[in-house]
Amino acid sequence: MGGGQAEAIGLYIGINLLLTLVLAILVVRQRAKHSVSLGDGGNADVERAIRAHGNNVEYVAIALPGLIALGLLGATLTLLHAAGLLVTVGRVAHAIGISNGISIFRQLGTLATWIGVAVLGVGCLWAVLA
């Protein structure tokens, strides 16, 4: 890996780790606000915070290793940034949408994430099979 790939990967890992931490803190804040110690307590605000965090973790857990693998396989900096941006912007948009009940942000965030994960998957396969 050279030519800035490691830095690009580090950038997206750092942003996504911090996003995950922020979403976890928002879950704790909602639980404290609504006196819920476990689960969602039947509270819609707590449930939305939990799902925003949980959904983020589910996708970041598959996207970041894909980003690392793509970098190790020699992907261009442009491809790494395209995939990293799609996943990262998608995760932020989805978190905003699910937390605030804004469907368009949730939908666009999901779409961007899926496209980013697809780019990662296809990129890895292309690098190995081409």
Side-chain angles (χ1 to χ4, degrees), residues 7-95:
E7 290 81 2
I9 293 166
L11 173 69
Y12 297 110
I13 289 174
I15 292 169
N16 281 281
L17 290 175
L18 292 174
L19 174 60
T20 302
L21 179 60
V22 166
L23 293 172
I25 291 167
L26 293 175
V27 170
V28 171
R29 287 182 59 199
Q30 286 297 326
R31 283 187 172 148
K33 178 180 176 181
H34 298 286
S35 300
V36 175
S37 63
L38 185 63
D40 63 23
N43 183 284
D45 292 336
V46 178
E47 180 183 11
R48 278 193 300 276
I50 290 170
R51 285 313 313 142
H53 176 260
N55 193 274
N56 186 69
V57 169
E58 292 162 4
Y59 280 102
V60 167
I62 63 171
L64 295 184
L67 193 63
I68 293 167
L70 199 57
L72 290 172
L73 291 167
T76 66
L77 195 54
T78 301
L79 184 59
L80 291 172
H81 278 299
L85 272 171
L86 280 164
V87 170
T88 302
V89 170
R91 293 294 78 217
V92 170
H94 184 273

Side-chain angles (χ1 to χ4, degrees), residues 4 92 96 115:
V92 170
I96 291 168
I115 293 170

